[in-house]
Amino acid sequence: MPLQLMLHLDLHGRSAATQARRAARAHLAGTAADDELLPPLALDTALLLISELVTNAVRHTSGGCILEVSLTSDGIDIEVTDTSDAEPEARRPDRRGEGGWGWHLVNRLGTDVGIRHHAVGGKTIHVRVPC
């Protein structure tokens, strides 16, 4: 199957991750409905990674973020673009709930993880969730 229509969202504020998950779930379910390409585990994994990436972009940058999600025949491509040039850093997870899990989850559950820096500033993080 060729690349499907892409979900494109401009996100800001504390509800950004919730908005991103809702929109991504609806988009992916609608895109995959005819072909039944989307295993539930892949959808759940994609939603978790979207939540982590969007939360970190909104929390650690000054300008919100842009989420792009598309479904292909072999996976879900997720891209989050933000205004910061700083790359995510893996840190020791805090078992008391103070964070540190996100970048580990992205790299453990996703494939093709990459960071593209933009000449005008900011970066895009790409991750694929295999189906």
Side-chain angles (χ1 to χ4, degrees), residues 3 7 18 25 43 45 70 74 84 89-90 95 97 103 110 120-121 130:
L3 194 63
L7 170 67
T18 301
R25 179 185 299 279
L43 175 61
T45 300
S70 57
D74 59 348
S84 173
E89 293 182 18
R95 295 186 189 274
W103 194 236
V120 296

Side-chain angles (χ1 to χ4, degrees), residues 13-91:
R14 294 179 359 172
S15 65
T18 301
Q19 293 171 18
R21 281 190 309 274
R22 266 192 210 126
R25 179 185 299 279
H27 173 74
L28 291 168
T31 302
D34 294 336
D35 299 320
E36 298 180 14
L37 286 176
L38 193 56
L41 181 58
L43 175 61
D44 290 346
T45 300
L47 295 174
L48 174 63
L49 298 185
I50 287 167
S51 184
E52 290 294 335
L53 290 170
V54 168
T55 297
N56 286 339
V58 170
R59 180 180 292 161
H60 298 293
T61 68
S62 62
C65 67
I66 295 171
L67 169 67
E68 295 183 331
V69 179
S70 57
L71 178 64
T72 67
S73 60
D74 59 348
I76 302 165
D77 287 320
I78 302 164
E79 292 196 340
V80 175
T81 301
D82 64 43
T83 59
S84 173
D85 293 326
E87 293 195 10
E89 293 182 18
R91 61 184 177 109

